[in-house]
Each structure stands twice: as C-alpha cells, then as structure tokens.
Amino acid sequence: MGVLNFIVTASLIGNLLNPFSQGWLFVKNIFFHPTPLAVKISTPAAKAQPRHMKINPQYGVYSTAWTARSKKIRDLIRVADETEINTVVIDVKEDGDYLDDNVKNLVGELRNKNIYTVARIVLFKDGSQTKIHPDWYFKKSNGSLWADNRGWRWLDPANKETWDYNVELAKKAIDHGFDELNFDYIRFPAFKKDDDVNLPPDFASAKIKTINEFARFLTSELKKYDPEITLSV
C-alpha cells in the first residue's frame, strides 16, 4: 500500500472515519486545533507496467543496424509519430552482435512513444566467429572454411556450441528491452551438388531433425529466461 499525505483542518475531522474512495482514513493524535495537521492515508500501490508491450495489429518499419545508429533513425521515428506505424524492426545480429548502449537507449525511447520493438536475429548465417571458433563452421575437404557463392560463412547447426552462442545473444536482446525476437536463417545453407564441403553421410535426413531440436531448445531457454517475450520466425 502506498501512503498519501493530506492536510486536515478541524472542520474536516468529523468526516475522517467515513469510507474514502481510495480506502479508510487512519488518523492518529488529531485534536481540534486551528493549525492544519498532516494525516497519512493508505492508497493502493500503482500497478506495475508490463515488461513487454503487446500491439495488434502491427504496422511496422524496418531499420538496419547502421540506420539505428545514424541520424536516419530520426526519419523513421518521425514517420511513426505522424502515421499509424506502431512497430520498428531492428537488426541486432547478422555477421556479429550489434547490441550496444545506443540500441538500448533507442529501444527505451521507442517504448516511451508506445512503439513496439522487434529484434531481428540472424542465426546460422554468421561469419563473425571464424577466427575464435573455426570449429563451428562448415569446412572443405582440405580443412579450410567453406563459403557459399556470395562468400558468406555459415555456422554448423549440428554443433551444439552454436546453439548456446545464439541463445546467449538472444537473451542479451531481451535485456536491451525488445518486445519481440524475430529469428532469420534458422536453417542449414543451401548446398549445391558440386560444393566442396564435408558433410556426414546422413546429412539429408538429419538436418530437419537438427533444426527442429534447435528450435525447441531456443524456445525453451528463452521462455525460461523471460516467459513474456514474444518469439517469431
């Protein structure tokens, strides 16, 4: 219960023991005296604000990580202020972790404007860990790292250390205040028949099972961390 301070004069004392709209008045040491007396009144505490917003329907705009750090984000915010836009999707992970204080402050500003925020997280198309964890990546027959025809490196979803890596980054996005996490590239790369890449004999049948198991793990870990977070693909 919160406490509200009231100033009471002698003319009001006759009404003090009646029910009040916010509860009963509890008065101590009140005498008929011309000097105003301070009285404490018990009032219901303010209801806590939910950690995450829920908006439906959503009308959104998309921001790259670079736009979110530049003056261009002001243009997107102005559009949201002047139109029915109520959602902003922001890249927070692709080839690396883009979460920092700038993003956290931006999410807080958008929340104050009642704008729903979505963190876009690219999962396995991520070449940021090649030097630290080369064992997390697909390799060619000669042991060098494989890349697709665009030069992108891919984490191997069959390596469960990559699961923990992605989950920890998703938790970081939750801590930055996002209302929803949207996951992209939750799959293996599209290998071509002539690609020089080392794959297990049962790769074709095992890859669907691997992705399904990862999706269950991702959902379970994040819902334990924050039961109210919204997850999407």
Side-chain angles (χ1 to χ4, degrees):
M1 299 285 282
V3 173
L4 182 64
N5 288 323
F6 265 61
I7 301 299
V8 179
T9 61
S11 62
L12 297 178
I13 293 179
N15 296 321
L16 285 178
L17 298 181
N18 291 326
F20 190 68
S21 60
Q22 299 297 325
W24 286 85
L25 298 178
F26 299 94
V27 184
K28 292 183 178 180
N29 299 324
I30 290 191
F31 303 94
F32 287 91
H33 194 282
T35 305
L37 303 172
V39 179
K40 293 184 177 180
I41 299 177
S42 298
T43 60
K47 187 176 181 180
Q49 200 176 39
R51 184 174 184 184
H52 303 294
M53 295 177 61
K54 302 293 181 184
I55 289 182
N56 185 43
Q58 294 178 12
Y59 301 99
V61 292
Y62 166 77
S63 169
T64 66
W66 318 119
T67 296
R69 289 175 169 80
S70 73
K71 293 181 180 179
K72 290 183 179 180
I73 193 64
R74 298 292 125 199
D75 295 331
L76 292 184
I77 293 175
R78 188 181 68 254
V79 170
D81 287 339
E82 297 174 355
T83 68
E84 61 187 353
I85 295 298
N86 58 19
T87 302
V88 176
V89 181
I90 303 173
D91 275 336
V92 301
K93 175 185 178 284
E94 193 163 4
D95 273 331
D97 170 3
Y98 307 143
L99 292 163
D100 58 17
D101 287 342
N102 289 328
V103 172
K104 189 171 186 177
N105 292 337
L106 174 59
V107 171
E109 178 183 353
L110 294 173
R111 175 63 181 263
N112 290 337
K113 291 177 173 288
N114 291 319
I115 296 175
Y116 187 83
T117 52
V118 181
R120 176 178 175 264
I121 299 175
V122 170
L123 291 171
F124 295 111
K125 186 184 72 65
D126 177 354
S128 67
Q129 304 297 304
T130 54
K131 292 184 179 180
I132 304 173
H133 299 288
D135 52 311
W136 289 1
Y137 291 84
F138 292 101
K139 294 183 174 62
K140 297 180 180 180
S141 56
N142 64 5
S144 63
L145 297 182
W146 174 87
D148 65 16
N149 57 3
R150 294 186 179 184
W152 292 340
R153 312 285 187 188
W154 287 67
L155 296 165
D156 183 355
N159 186 322
K160 292 191 175 182
E161 290 182 4
T162 69
W163 297 15
D164 295 329
Y165 162 69
N166 278 309
V167 164
E168 289 307 309
L169 193 138
K171 290 178 180 178
K172 186 176 177 182
I174 292 174
D175 293 340
H176 274 57
F178 282 94
D179 299 305
E180 178 178 333
L181 308 183
N182 176 258
F183 299 103
D184 203 356
Y185 290 87
I186 180 170
R187 62 178 179 84
F188 282 83
F191 296 115
K192 296 182 294 184
K193 289 184 178 180
D194 59 348
D195 272 343
D196 178 13
V197 56
N198 282 336
L199 297 173
D202 63 343
F203 173 74
S205 60
K207 64 180 183 179
I208 295 176
K209 179 182 178 183
T210 297
I211 293 300
N212 286 339
E213 288 178 352
F214 168 72
R216 286 192 292 269
F217 174 79
L218 180 71
T219 302
S220 174
E221 292 299 305
L222 296 181
K223 285 295 186 178
K224 283 189 292 185
Y225 190 73
D226 183 350
E228 302 304 317
I229 191 66
T230 298
L231 308 176
S232 63
V233 293

